Amino acid sequence: MASSLSMERKWCVSLALAALCSGCSTQQLRVGDLLFHVVGQENHITEVTPGMIDHVAICSAKNQVIEAIPHDGVVLTPLDSVKRREDGYYMIGRVKGADAKQSVENAFQFLGTGYDSLFLPTPEAIYCSELVQLAYVDKKGRQLFGTIPMSFHDASGRITDYWTRFYSRHGMEVPEGQPGTNPSELSKRKIIKLKGRLR
């Protein structure tokens, strides 16, 4: 537990330093970079995933991202629209060892796929970090991001009321521990280099 907490503190410090010490212009953004949305206030996603990141998008062109968003599913979004969203800001993450061109092409194959609001490992619908997990490959075509057990519990280990009620409305048990991914955890992977805050 102490080791996990130590890693979490180191990641929080590195995120804060990257945000404070470097601002990245859109000219520094490369195709294949990831954009992690850092929120200013905790929400039902950040409550159960350590860190303050609740969304991830893929830079698919100079002024465009591909992302999976509620209601719309997998879509292309102008970068300017992404930057104007909600509270918080975006951090640029560069994926070391990725075949950026192929990874973006893989993501494009999911365009038009519906959004997976239940966060289940099914091909019919996709959520934001699942799009990244499925799309990113290295130069040999090997997937770069494996799945992790899904977490719907808070720091005390208790599944939160929000998620209990949410899945109950769908006649389901909370899929705690099922294979999946989340944007905050992706941002901490060793192959992700946080480049700074997007201006």
Side-chain angles (χ1 to χ4, degrees), residues 15-47:
L15 183 65
L17 287 175
L20 290 170
C21 299
S22 61
C24 295
S25 68
T26 54
Q27 284 73 31
Q28 293 168 283
L29 192 60
R30 297 181 188 171
V31 171
D33 282 348
L34 299 178
L35 292 177
F36 293 100
H37 184 230
V38 183
V39 296
Q41 294 186 340
E42 192 171 69
N43 58 41
H44 58 270
I45 293 175
T46 62
E47 187 179 17

Side-chain angles (χ1 to χ4, degrees), residues 135-153:
Y136 274 73
V137 293
D138 65 14
K139 299 290 186 183
K140 295 183 177 180
R142 297 173 297 198
Q143 270 195 316
L144 287 173
F145 298 106
T147 59
I148 59 165
M150 290 292 275
S151 162
F152 297 90
H153 63 267

Side-chain angles (χ1 to χ4, degrees), residues 117-137:
S117 60
L118 296 177
F119 307 103
L120 299 173
T122 59
E124 296 83 20
I126 293 178
Y127 54 94
C128 68
S129 55
E130 185 180 25
L131 178 64
V132 173
Q133 186 260 317
L134 292 171
Y136 274 73
V137 293

Side-chain angles (χ1 to χ4, degrees), residues 3-25:
S3 174
S4 175
L5 285 172
S6 176
M7 286 179 60
E8 180 64 26
R9 286 192 195 101
K10 286 178 183 175
W11 175 81
C12 287
V13 168
S14 69
L15 183 65
L17 287 175
L20 290 170
C21 299
S22 61
C24 295
S25 68

Side-chain angles (χ1 to χ4, degrees), residues 4-97:
S4 175
L5 285 172
S6 176
M7 286 179 60
E8 180 64 26
R9 286 192 195 101
K10 286 178 183 175
W11 175 81
C12 287
V13 168
S14 69
L15 183 65
L17 287 175
L20 290 170
C21 299
S22 61
C24 295
S25 68
T26 54
Q27 284 73 31
Q28 293 168 283
L29 192 60
R30 297 181 188 171
V31 171
D33 282 348
L34 299 178
L35 292 177
F36 293 100
H37 184 230
V38 183
V39 296
Q41 294 186 340
E42 192 171 69
N43 58 41
H44 58 270
I45 293 175
T46 62
E47 187 179 17
V48 297
T49 56
M52 294 298 284
I53 293 172
D54 69 350
H55 181 62
V56 60
I58 300 167
C59 178
S60 55
K62 184 178 179 181
N63 292 303
Q64 174 184 272
V65 303
I66 182 169
E67 59 182 343
I69 53 177
H71 309 300
D72 296 329
V74 182
V75 295
L76 293 173
T77 308
L79 181 60
D80 285 344
S81 296
V82 171
K83 289 164 67 177
R84 287 195 301 267
R85 273 191 203 142
E86 302 175 14
D87 71 316
Y89 57 89
Y90 282 86
M91 291 291 294
I92 298 174
R94 191 150 294 156
V95 187
K96 295 182 284 187

